[in-house]
Amino acid sequence: MSETTTSTEGRTFSPPEQITAQANVGPDVYDEASRDRLAFWAKAAERLHWEQPWDEVLDWSNPPFAKWFVGGKLNVAYNCVDRHVEAGHGEQVAYHWEGEPGDTRTITYAQLKDDVSRAANALLELGVQAGDRVAIYMPMIPETVIAMLACARIGAVHMVVFGGFSPDALASRITDAGAQVVITADGGYRRGAPSALKPNVDEALTRTEGVRSVLVVRRTEQDVEWTEGRDVWWHDLVDRQSPEHTPEAFDAEHPLYIMYTSGTTAKPKGILHTTGGYLTQVAYTHWATFDLKPDTDVYWTAADVGWVTGHSYIVYGPLANRATSVMYEGTPETPHRGRWFELIQKYGVTVLYTAPTVIRTFMKWGEDIPAGFDLTTLRLLGSVGEPINPEAWLWYHEHIGGGRCPIVDTWWQTETGAHMITPLPGVTSLVPGSAQHPFPGISAKVVDDEGNELGDDSTGLLVLTEPWPSMLRTIWGDDDRYVDTYWSRFGKNVYFAGDGAKKDADGNIWLLGRVDDVMNVSGHRISTTEVESSLVGHPTVAEAAVVGASDPTTGQGIVAFVILRGTAEDSGDELVQTLRNHVARDIGPIAKPRQIMVVQELPKTRSGKIMRRLLRDIAENRELGDVTTLTDSSVMELIKEKLPATPSED
Ligand code: WT7
């Protein structure tokens, strides 16, 4: 856990009057939720359309296996699309989509309904049934959203894999989820060039069995290899389908999707989300945290659909609330560093939600860039993925928000499905750098190692002490791991989040980063063990230790220490590049180590555990901490002598 400064020069920012006066939720919401938590969530669920009402809000008779809205039935796609069309909003834009090369598509709710119905019919023709798993490996194009909703519409479980992941990572997820259909594209545009996806699918499918169909969207028009009988073009299959499809209502606990995330072991965990509780909490939080006004807001979550942020706040939350969203395919610097600001200006974005790492990159590029665009439509800003340092918060507030927009710093996880700790824009006096308060109806506490609740002005571990509607239901295929990972440290009623947290004297919660062996690089969770096992998978490497070292832009950077096999030759830079590329190929470019140091020894405790804390000190060039439990303290001197070399940039 790294120390985060909690000094904000005492500055707080009270909610602007224009926001408070018309806010979707006011201060009473906290009292209401604490008076009767379940009634509060039931009321939130009533914002959705239920085909059959529930009998019981929560069944927690077998913790930690929760059932929310027991007996209720609904269709997620109907709630996100059809119901708005039926209510007369078919002409409203659901997405202003913009491709990286500058091509655009405007998709209304009526069009989305037709497209999702066609895709649902296509999946049925491919033999997909309710409960089947469908892998989605796509760029940021409308078909990605359409594919997800088509799955939800027919009760199939989607499993989106971020397009930056390697064929290996894709293959292992397909195997673990048991997916039989893959939806992909020839490629997508990134950094000014087409980036291929289909070849990765072809390669992945040589390493996993059971996939019978691959549905391919044409996006970049790159050449693709074709496996007859297995591969089918989206435009051939989907376009000829009927735009009529009658959605079926599914049980509130019917599985909606699996999303893999890194844990403390090399094997990623398939986080399972279900139907009714998930949609209730993403829809409600999206409406309350972002004060979403469907008739006037232009909402933009600038993230990839391949992560949970995209699932909850590009797709399900915004659509359930009938938002008009912006969706952008590419990177912020293409073709120039003002691209995002140009998009805000062009579409009149009013609410922007993104990650601190992007804000810090913008800071590096300089305030002149946002100053060159009209950003006055913005009224609210959000942050997610890692702690936002007060300096970045203040810069975001001033140079993007023009000093007038509240910033909601939202703490949550793939596992929580939706916002858990966040200010509310019409209520909370903002403290830069702190996520501040549990969302109404959420019970978050800071505890010591024994699980005792800590008072104000203390530091400990973050736990959630009551179940919540959008909580994960299990780890796909591994109930034991679900219990062990989240519900064993403090018993079966207490969810251990894996984050350190501090409560300040005013009761604000400050998130301090992971306390386990998980790194956070640009808001992406990467397991140290996963990178270590990739490194030792290379023929030259005998042993590896990986740490997340603090990094001014990405939050943490991956630093690896490797011991070579006796037979391997240390060719210096060349070997380091080979190993970095090996990890990128193995896991994906986001896992490419910033720095790799070849060493003779690794610091270990007497019980043989690698002392990552010391390696982190080295990687961050700090004075060494306590080395008394080391087997051989000269190891650290040896490692320090090897200290290189400026970290690599790419
Ligand atoms: C981990 C979850 C939530 C979607 C994106 C990441 C860190 C997330 C914050 C925040 C401080 C944050 C935590 C958490 N995190 N949001 N506002 N302040 N830390 O989802 O990949 O599941 O990662 O991200 O460490 O445990 P994820």
Side-chain angles (χ1 to χ4, degrees):
M1 188 192 314
S2 56
E3 265 305 313
T4 302
T5 167
T6 53
S7 125
T8 60
E9 313 141 38
R11 289 180 75 181
T12 60
F13 295 78
S14 34
E17 232 165 76
Q18 325 72 285
I19 302 257
T20 334
Q22 303 176 37
N24 288 349
V25 298
D28 303 348
V29 76
Y30 289 104
D31 288 339
E32 185 194 331
S34 58
R35 264 198 310 274
D36 188 342
R37 202 172 56 85
L38 296 183
F40 168 80
W41 284 121
K43 198 168 142 197
E46 278 158 17
R47 299 180 66 248
L48 305 176
H49 173 85
W50 293 76
E51 210 49 61
Q52 184 175 305
W54 58 86
D55 310 316
E56 194 186 358
V57 176
L58 169 67
D59 175 358
W60 189 238
S61 58
N62 180 29
F65 298 95
K67 290 191 181 124
W68 281 87
F69 307 111
V70 184
K73 286 192 169 161
L74 72 168
N75 185 286
V76 167
Y78 175 85
N79 271 283
C80 289
V81 184
D82 306 42
R83 112 180 127 118
H84 308 315
V85 178
E86 286 172 14
H89 300 289
E91 295 316 304
Q92 183 179 332
V93 173
Y95 292 103
H96 292 290
W97 176 83
E98 177 134 340
E100 197 188 71
D103 50 334
T104 61
R105 283 163 70 182
T106 308
I107 298 167
T108 64
Y109 275 93
Q111 287 164 342
L112 192 59
K113 175 172 177 282
D114 290 354
D115 288 343
V116 171
S117 300
R118 281 194 194 92
N121 287 325
L123 291 178
L124 292 172
E125 189 177 317
L126 290 176
V128 178
Q129 295 178 0
D132 289 355
R133 275 80 61 210
V134 174
I136 298 179
Y137 185 67
M138 294 275 263
M140 281 282 287
I141 56 177
E143 283 78 6
T144 312
V145 178
I146 293 166
M148 291 164 71
L149 292 166
C151 288
R153 194 173 184 94
I154 63 169
V157 184
H158 60 69
M159 191 271 286
V160 180
V161 178
F162 172 58
F165 273 124
S166 67
D168 255 349
L170 175 61
S172 62
R173 284 161 176 76
I174 288 174
T175 305
D176 191 77
Q180 296 178 341
V181 172
V182 179
I183 306 178
T184 187
D186 46 2
Y189 288 95
R190 285 199 80 73
R191 300 210 159 77
S195 157
L197 288 170
K198 173 69 163 58
N200 290 355
V201 174
D202 292 334
E203 197 181 328
L205 295 189
T206 63
R207 290 172 215 162
T208 178
E209 283 169 11
V211 172
R212 57 167 197 272
S213 304
V214 179
L215 188 53
V216 190
V217 178
R218 185 180 278 157
R219 163 72 184 130
T220 54
E221 309 201 357
Q222 291 159 288
D223 286 335
V224 290
E225 301 215 347
W226 209 250
T227 303
E228 286 304 331
R230 184 195 74 183
D231 298 351
V232 39
W233 283 112
W234 176 284
H235 54 262
D236 284 341
L237 179 70
V238 179
D239 291 2
R240 65 171 164 76
Q241 302 290 329
S242 155
E244 299 295 328
H245 173 270
T246 310
E248 183 191 335
F250 292 99
D251 191 275
E253 284 300 336
H254 187 79
L256 178 65
Y257 71 81
I258 303 169
M259 162 116 272
Y260 283 84
T261 187
S262 293
T264 53
T265 70
K267 188 173 184 276
K269 302 175 288 199
I271 303 303
L272 179 71
H273 283 292
T274 60
T275 297
Y278 175 78
L279 197 63
T280 294
Q281 194 174 332
V282 296
Y284 187 80
T285 51
H286 179 258
W287 180 77
T289 309
F290 298 121
D291 190 37
L292 200 279
K293 304 283 195 276
D295 295 324
T296 47
D297 273 324
V298 178
Y299 175 84
W300 184 18
T301 288
D304 197 284
V305 182
W307 307 107
V308 76
T309 305
H311 282 48
S312 299
Y313 299 107
I314 295 177
V315 183
Y316 293 114
L319 292 177
N321 289 321
R322 185 175 44 91
T324 293
S325 291
V326 168
M327 182 174 173
Y328 170 57
E329 179 185 31
T331 44
E333 68 272 42
T334 311
H336 57 80
R337 292 176 166 183
R339 185 67 189 273
W340 276 26
F341 308 115
E342 195 175 65
L343 288 168
I344 294 170
Q345 174 177 290
K346 175 172 174 184
Y347 294 107
V349 172
T350 58
V351 181
L352 174 69
Y353 189 35
T354 191
T357 182
V358 182
I359 305 305
R360 290 192 296 264
T361 303
F362 287 152
M363 282 172 81
K364 219 163 55 184
W365 292 347
E367 62 213 47
D368 291 354
I369 299 179
F373 296 86
D374 179 1
L375 307 180
T376 52
T377 50
L378 287 171
R379 66 179 194 95
L380 184 63
L381 303 172
S383 172
V384 61
E386 52 173 319
I388 179 164
N389 46 310
E391 198 192 353
W393 194 105
L394 292 167
W395 193 93
Y396 193 19
H397 189 255
E398 182 173 344
H399 297 291
I400 296 185
R404 72 184 176 276
C405 307
I407 298 178
V408 286
D409 174 8
T410 60
W411 178 90
W412 57 295
Q413 307 177 300
T414 305
E415 293 86 341
T416 70
H419 299 160
M420 300 296 281
I421 304 178
T422 177
L424 289 177
V427 180
T428 316
S429 273
L430 303 171
V431 177
S434 166
Q436 300 192 264
H437 308 303
F439 193 86
I442 296 300
S443 171
K445 298 198 164 114
V446 179
V447 299
D448 65 16
D449 279 340
E450 271 79 56
N452 305 307
E453 183 174 357
L454 297 173
D456 291 349
D457 219 354
S458 43
T459 300
L461 303 169
L462 182 73
V463 295
L464 304 168
T465 54
E466 298 283 357
W468 62 101
S470 63
M471 64 192 277
L472 75 167
R473 297 303 195 262
T474 190
I475 292 173
W476 182 259
D478 201 343
D479 285 350
D480 290 344
R481 190 174 179 200
Y482 167 66
V483 177
D484 285 354
T485 309
Y486 306 107
W487 306 93
S488 62
R489 184 151 180 172
F490 304 116
K492 289 196 173 160
N493 281 290
V494 179
Y495 174 89
F496 174 56
D499 279 327
K502 177 191 161 83
K503 247 184 171 183
D504 69 18
D506 303 317
N508 294 298
I509 297 177
W510 297 72
L511 281 310
L512 303 176
R514 304 287 308 182
V515 294
D516 54 16
D517 295 334
V518 176
M519 298 172 286
N520 188 330
V521 182
S522 300
H524 301 316
R525 250 156 90 173
I526 300 167
S527 139
T528 51
T529 332
E530 205 177 345
V531 178
E532 284 165 4
S533 74
S534 167
L535 284 166
V536 296
H538 192 272
T540 58
V541 176
E543 225 183 316
V546 168
V547 296
S550 63
D551 183 290
T553 307
T554 59
Q556 286 190 312
I558 304 176
V559 178
F561 298 81
V562 297
I563 301 176
L564 298 181
R565 290 193 185 189
T567 49
E569 201 177 319
D570 180 1
S571 56
D573 254 11
E574 199 184 313
L575 176 70
V576 165
Q577 290 314 328
T578 307
L579 293 176
R580 292 179 66 229
N581 291 332
H582 166 78
V583 176
R585 244 194 333 271
D586 229 15
I587 305 175
I590 49 164
K592 189 176 195 171
R594 182 185 82 183
Q595 209 174 341
I596 294 184
M597 301 184 214
V598 177
V599 295
Q600 303 297 325
E601 300 276 357
L602 288 169
K604 289 191 182 151
T605 61
R606 288 180 188 90
S607 63
K609 204 169 182 306
I610 292 171
M611 297 184 74
R612 289 210 175 76
R613 179 175 50 81
L614 294 181
L615 292 175
R616 213 171 297 130
D617 286 346
I618 292 266
E620 291 171 355
N621 284 315
R622 268 196 305 266
E623 279 304 304
L624 289 184
D626 181 17
V627 294
T628 47
T629 52
L630 261 182
T631 37
D632 174 8
S633 51
S634 63
V635 166
M636 293 313 289
E637 291 311 312
L638 275 171
I639 292 179
K640 269 173 76 180
E641 279 168 26
K642 291 282 291 188
L643 256 186
T646 37
S648 24
E649 273 284 310
D650 63 327

